[in-house]
């Protein structure tokens, strides 16, 4: 029965379920759709991968997975048997073993590291860095020398320059198996993707294993970084989720973070500290292999501070911790910083700027709110790290409820209990806890206040850090 399930076309099942499909990917082996399970399914967000060869699905954010039948069953709230019957009898999807559907050829695997490095190196050597991209990199804290050393380049948006560059490279390199290159409708080698900043992903030995593009399209900030890949195109090749290595490879401590560019900046601002960078918090398939290639005594997980507000990042953090702790001899710890700064690169830049002006960004005053929050987290969230509480100052404020963002409560019964208390005139609740105006503790109370039309609520919030000299 399992193989029969897999033979039902996943795209047909997705359409029957009303999923939002990415039309540009429907001819590929891996089509994309908005995930209906994790809530991150706004316009232009296609995190659900639909494998049309195996007829299975998987979300790259929440890891929901299954086949055509289990997708329909979960969406419609029915059993797998009922879903199978609905898809085959009502949907007109029938299996004909005597006339099997022709199998698509297997996807092309990336060429050897040596071939990829040589091709990408020559490609970057023939490209330039736009003034805008250079200014952006300098603003992030990199020096001119480090920008040149890391070989950042601008990938042109126009089709003509790409075809010209690919044709020139094809005279010296075999582009078959190099992610990002494909043969277009005119029979010429070309480079896929959209215009943006090219960020190489290096190995520990300095070889370029792959590249990401930081897209110039500001209308889709949630899809800012994309692999340079030509998956599904004629003579195209998929990219893998490479782990970028930057900094001192002989160091005993490695910092783990998300994004090559972020790691490059943080490493530079922290005296060439060793950073291992994955493309996304769920793209860690090669992390264990990479970690094991170093003689490390410590791995420091330095994910963005939105891990406090984003449950998908929190789940991924647990997996990263488990993976790192599974390597003998490595001590694992979490790194927290002032929650006013999202990424470790933002924090390092603020810390260094402050130090140059004689201020210590880590010199935070403890107050009764700090102690109260520490006790709250110890009691209510014993498995969560409390380090972030002591990285910033806290203040109590009464603010318009419309200025706060908050996810829906997971326990609706508990939320309705708070609603009844409010209706009975017992509103002596403790303040909501907010980070950058996002509620991280008190979602049920927030919901109850919303239901009764409260205009203001009392919160504990982190004090936005301001450089004393600027203040």
């Amino acid at each position: 029965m399992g193989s029969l399930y897999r033979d039902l076309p996943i795209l047909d099942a997705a359409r029957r379920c009303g999923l939002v499909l990415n039309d540009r990917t429907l001819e590929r082996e891996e089509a994309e759709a908005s995930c209906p399970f994790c809530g991150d399914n706004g316009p232009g967000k296609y995190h659900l991968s639909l494998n049309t060869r195996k007829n299975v699905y998987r979300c790259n954010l929440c890891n929901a997975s299954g086949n055509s039948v289990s997708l329909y069953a979960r969406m419609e709230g029915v059993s797998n048997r009922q879903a199978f019957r609905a898809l085959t009898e009502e949907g007109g999807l029938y299996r004909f073993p005597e006339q099997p559907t022709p199998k698509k050829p297997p996807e092309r695997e990336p060429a050897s590291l040596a071939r990829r490095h040589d091709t990408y190196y020559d490609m970057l050597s023939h490209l330039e860095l736009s003034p805008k991209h250079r200014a952006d990199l300098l603003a992030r804290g990199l020096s001119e020398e480090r920008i040149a050393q890391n070989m950042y380049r601008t990938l042109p948006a126009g089709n003509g320059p790409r075809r010209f560059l690919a044709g020139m490279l094809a005279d010296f390199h075999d582009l078959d198996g190099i992610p990002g290159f494909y043969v277009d409708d005119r029979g010429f080698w070309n480079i896929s993707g959209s215009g943006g900043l090219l960020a190489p992903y290096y190995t520990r030995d300095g070889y370029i294993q792959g590249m990401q593009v930081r897209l110039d399209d500001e209308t889709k900030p949630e899809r800012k970084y994309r692999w340079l890949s030509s998956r599904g195109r004629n003579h195209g090749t998929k990219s893998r989720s490479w782990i970028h290595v930057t900094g001192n490879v002989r160091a005993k401590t490695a910092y783990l973070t998300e994004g090559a560019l972020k790691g490059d900046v943080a490493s530079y601002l922290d005296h060439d500290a060793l950073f291992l960078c994955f493309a996304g918090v769920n793209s860690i398939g090669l992390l264990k292999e990479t970690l094991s290639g170093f003689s490390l005594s410590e791995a420091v997980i330095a994910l963005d501070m939105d891990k406090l507000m984003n449950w998908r990042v929190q789940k991924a953090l647990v997996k990263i911790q488990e993976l790192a702790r599974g390597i003998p001899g490595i001590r694992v710890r979490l790194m927290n910083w002032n929650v006013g700064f999202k990424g470790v690169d933002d924090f390092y830049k603020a810390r260094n700027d402050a130090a140059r002006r004689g201020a210590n960004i880590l010199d935070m005053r403890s107050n009764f709110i700090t102690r109260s929050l520490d006790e709250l987290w110890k009691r209510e969230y014993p498995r969560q790290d409390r380090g972030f509480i002591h990285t910033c100052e806290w203040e109590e404020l009464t603010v318009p409820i419309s200025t706060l963002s908050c996810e829906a409560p997971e326990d609706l019964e508990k939320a309705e209990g708070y609603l009844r208390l409010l209706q009975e005139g017992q509103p002596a609740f403790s303040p909501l806890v907010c980070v950058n105006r996002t509620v991280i503790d008190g979602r049920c109370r927030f919901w109850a206040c919303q239901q009764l039309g409260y205009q203001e609520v009392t919160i504990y919030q982190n004090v936005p850090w301001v450089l004393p000299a600027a203040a």
Side-chain angles (χ1 to χ4, degrees), residues 163-285:
R163 185 185 294 125
F164 178 79
L165 176 58
M168 185 167 54
L169 292 171
D171 290 338
F172 302 95
H173 300 279
D174 178 5
L175 300 184
D176 262 319
I178 307 298
F181 292 89
Y182 70 100
V183 176
D184 62 22
D185 295 337
R186 298 171 57 183
F188 296 107
W189 279 103
N190 210 328
I191 303 172
S192 65
S194 302
L197 173 69
L198 280 170
Y201 269 61
Y202 289 98
T203 68
R204 61 169 296 161
D205 297 315
Y207 293 105
I208 304 173
Q209 51 191 327
M211 286 194 282
Q212 275 203 319
V213 186
R214 187 184 190 278
L215 302 182
D216 287 334
D217 186 356
E218 300 295 339
T219 63
K220 297 181 179 179
E222 73 283 350
R223 294 171 69 80
K224 186 163 47 179
Y225 289 91
R226 305 290 287 175
W227 285 111
L228 184 66
S229 169
S230 47
R231 185 177 203 167
R233 291 179 177 253
N234 185 26
H235 286 272
T237 307
K238 67 180 180 180
S239 177
R240 298 187 68 187
S241 294
W242 312 109
I243 304 297
H244 174 63
V245 180
T246 183
N248 179 12
V249 296
R250 292 181 294 277
K252 293 298 182 181
T253 295
Y255 294 83
L256 315 182
T257 196
E258 181 182 2
L261 185 54
K262 182 180 300 178
D264 284 341
V265 174
S267 174
Y268 174 72
L269 295 176
D270 196 27
H271 311 289
D272 284 331
L274 174 61
F275 272 78
L276 308 184
C277 315
F278 29 84
V281 292
N282 290 306
S283 302
I284 57 172

Side-chain angles (χ1 to χ4, degrees), residues 441-470:
D441 178 71
R443 293 173 184 170
C444 293
R445 287 172 280 146
F446 181 89
W447 179 87
C449 291
Q450 273 189 321
Q451 300 306 303
L452 287 185
Y454 273 50
Q455 296 300 305
E456 294 183 329
V457 287
T458 302
I459 65 171
Y460 289 151
Q461 74 158 7
N462 62 300
V463 180
W465 191 83
V466 179
L467 189 64

Side-chain angles (χ1 to χ4, degrees), residues 35-52:
C35 179
F37 307 122
C38 65
D40 194 26
N41 53 10
K45 295 185 177 181
Y46 302 109
H47 299 303
L48 195 71
S49 293
L50 307 173
N51 189 305
T52 59

